[in-house]
């Protein structure tokens, strides 16, 4: 039985640049989440009834958000470079 693969479609430069903008916007969101998590951790550090694990957990999540933001920006830059090189 022979199965034909669908042809690959290519995105236009405008579509790719829209993805670049989306990746950058998502990176900004992730940075914002990291700031909010760190602010919450700082607030909880002064709260005597906050569980001991809460601040380290929030800090780890903030670090993960910062890492994700960096990776999103790296992907955006690579896609932007690729898109501009095509034209």
């Amino acid at each position: 039985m022979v199965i034909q693969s669908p042809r690959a479609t290519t995105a236009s430069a405008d579509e790719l640049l829209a993805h670049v903008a989306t990746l950058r916007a998502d990176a900004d969101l992730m940075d914002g989440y990291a700031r909010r998590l760190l602010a919450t951790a700082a607030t909880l550090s002064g709260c005597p009834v906050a569980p001991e694990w809460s601040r380290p957990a929030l800090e780890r999540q903030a670090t993960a958000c910062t890492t994700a933001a960096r990776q999103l920006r790296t992907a955006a830059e690579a896609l932007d470079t690729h898109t501009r090189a095509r034209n």
Side-chain angles (χ1 to χ4, degrees), residues 51-79:
E52 288 181 28
W53 55 263
S54 61
R55 184 173 178 181
L58 290 167
E59 289 170 347
R60 284 192 304 274
Q61 288 300 312
T63 299
C65 289
T66 300
T67 299
R70 186 176 60 249
Q71 291 171 340
L72 286 164
R73 285 193 180 89
T74 299
E77 185 61 32
L79 184 56

Side-chain angles (χ1 to χ4, degrees), residues 27-60:
D28 290 343
L29 285 172
M30 294 305 287
D31 278 336
Y33 298 147
R35 284 190 299 275
R36 288 171 42 190
L37 287 163
L38 290 174
T40 301
T43 299
L44 289 178
S45 69
C47 180
V49 294
E52 288 181 28
W53 55 263
S54 61
R55 184 173 178 181
L58 290 167
E59 289 170 347
R60 284 192 304 274

